[in-house]
Amino acid sequence: MINETIRTQILDGCLRDYPKYLAGNYRGYYITIESAPGEYIIKVNASTPGDPNNQQLNVFLNQYSALDNPVSKIQTYMYMCVIWIPEPQLEAEIPEILNRTICPILDYLSQHNYISGCDKCGNASETLNCCEIDGGYHFQCRNCTNALPNYTQTVKIDTKPAKSNFIAGLVGALLGSLIGCAAWVLIYKLGYIAGIAGAITAICAMKGYELLGGRLDKKGVVGSVVIMLIMIYVSNKVAWTWDAYDSLKDYGWSFAEIFQELNYIIEESDLMGGYITDLVIGYILTIVASFKSIAAAFRAS
């Protein structure tokens, strides 16, 4: 529905992206965010025995919508509330506006002991499915979703994500990381060690895993990070091999031979300290530059 970088900033990346909506569980509440012409429709499943028909919640939301916030309309039901907000003009504003709108509502729900269950019957004892019902998207229990074909057209969507293809994903991560590897070597040839090249390696590895593995789950993030660490080592070795090749090519050495014998060459040249230092600095800069992206991807998985 939106750019992946933007999605990971919305509610800590806990909502899964579908073509027309986001859906998931955040802080214990089932939430959907639908994209409509000129607006977003936010649905939060919530109810409590102390507030029959969510009347008190309705009062709070009406007061909340009157404050200085982007809410344009609210509606409450027995087991759910719906909030409409205008679509932000700039895509970069989407996470801040959605988070600023939703989080105070979740704070109220949590403080007043609302629980999140099926938006039709209130059942909170099982994992819910997200279903398309008459063009809208709803979290409902198994009994309610099984009854839907009796009276409405529906497409049932299991919110439990499918497992990724780990081997294919690793191949994708390896191929994607080659972009970062090339960036590392080119920047090194300019006389620098840049953490941004390591961050590129991490991002491209995770994207490659997702493309060939089907989805980026937790094992995909871990596998991509391992690939990244390996490729940083390879990148540093390729960069040093290139420098050595410039000095030794006139003596009949090929690039492949130097790459294979690099440890022997730098030991004989008394350069092992510099080689290890470059590698350690490279790892440190890579971790610093890529930590935020890796952490966001792990939360989203």
Side-chain angles (χ1 to χ4, degrees):
M1 186 179 85
I2 59 175
N3 178 279
E4 176 66 9
T5 301
I6 298 296
R7 183 196 66 80
T8 59
Q9 298 175 45
I10 299 171
L11 304 182
D12 295 332
C14 288
L15 304 187
R16 188 178 175 190
D17 192 6
Y18 295 92
K20 297 181 181 179
Y21 66 103
L22 301 176
N25 191 299
Y26 180 64
R27 291 171 52 182
Y29 294 94
Y30 288 101
I31 300 171
T32 64
I33 302 176
E34 302 173 26
S35 178
E39 63 184 359
Y40 285 115
I41 305 171
I42 304 164
K43 297 176 182 175
V44 183
N45 290 18
S47 65
T48 180
D51 182 15
N53 298 319
N54 279 338
Q55 294 177 350
Q56 295 176 24
L57 177 57
N58 183 268
V59 171
F60 165 77
L61 290 175
N62 276 290
Q63 294 173 343
Y64 180 69
S65 64
L67 300 176
D68 183 21
N69 58 59
V71 175
S72 60
K73 179 182 175 183
I74 64 99
Q75 180 68 56
T76 56
Y77 300 88
M78 186 175 294
Y79 303 109
M80 175 181 67
C81 64
V82 186
I83 304 100
W84 285 259
I85 66 170
E87 183 178 7
Q89 294 183 349
L90 300 177
E91 187 179 41
E93 297 176 342
I94 294 175
E96 190 274 333
I97 291 177
L98 286 174
N99 292 338
R100 177 160 56 91
T101 301
I102 298 172
C103 287
I105 297 173
L106 299 184
D107 289 339
Y108 175 88
L109 296 175
S110 178
Q111 291 167 7
H112 293 82
N113 301 316
Y114 286 79
I115 60 174
S116 196
C118 173
D119 69 9
K120 183 174 177 61
C121 71
N123 180 7
S125 63
E126 64 179 71
T127 301
L128 305 183
N129 291 323
C130 190
C131 300
E132 180 182 355
I133 306 173
D134 295 333
Y137 301 93
H138 302 261
F139 275 107
Q140 296 193 350
C141 66
R142 189 178 306 275
N143 287 338
C144 290
T145 54
N146 288 340
L148 284 171
N150 295 330
Y151 64 89
T152 185
Q153 291 291 326
T154 180
V155 177
K156 184 176 178 181
I157 303 171
D158 187 355
T159 58
K160 183 178 180 181
K163 294 182 179 180
S164 67
N165 186 323
F166 186 62
I167 301 301
L170 287 183
V171 173
L174 180 61
L175 295 176
S177 68
L178 292 177
I179 299 174
C181 183
W184 177 285
V185 174
L186 292 176
I187 293 173
Y188 188 91
K189 287 297 291 181
L190 296 176
Y192 302 97
I193 302 175
I196 186 63
I200 292 172
T201 304
I203 293 170
C204 290
M206 290 187 290
K207 190 61 178 178
Y209 186 99
E210 184 177 11
L211 289 175
L212 294 190
R215 65 178 300 269
L216 186 63
D217 50 15
K218 286 184 173 60
K219 67 176 181 288
V221 176
V222 173
S224 297
V225 171
V226 171
I227 293 293
M228 175 199 74
L229 296 175
I230 293 173
M231 292 309 292
I232 294 303
Y233 172 83
V234 173
S235 299
N236 188 63
K237 187 171 182 179
V238 169
W240 272 71
T241 299
W242 195 343
D243 279 350
Y245 176 72
D246 289 339
S247 300
L248 298 176
K249 61 183 178 181
D250 292 336
Y251 297 94
W253 287 75
S254 69
F255 191 93
E257 289 172 336
I258 295 174
F259 183 85
Q260 184 177 358
E261 300 294 336
L262 183 64
N263 286 348
Y264 170 76
I265 293 172
I266 59 179
E267 284 178 357
E268 289 297 312
S269 303
D270 199 24
L271 295 173
M272 183 59 74
Y275 177 78
I276 297 299
T277 299
D278 282 359
L279 184 60
V280 171
I281 292 175
Y283 276 129
I284 293 173
L285 293 178
T286 295
I287 292 170
V288 171
S290 62
F291 178 80
K292 187 175 181 179
S293 297
I294 294 171
F298 195 81
R299 285 196 303 269
S301 70

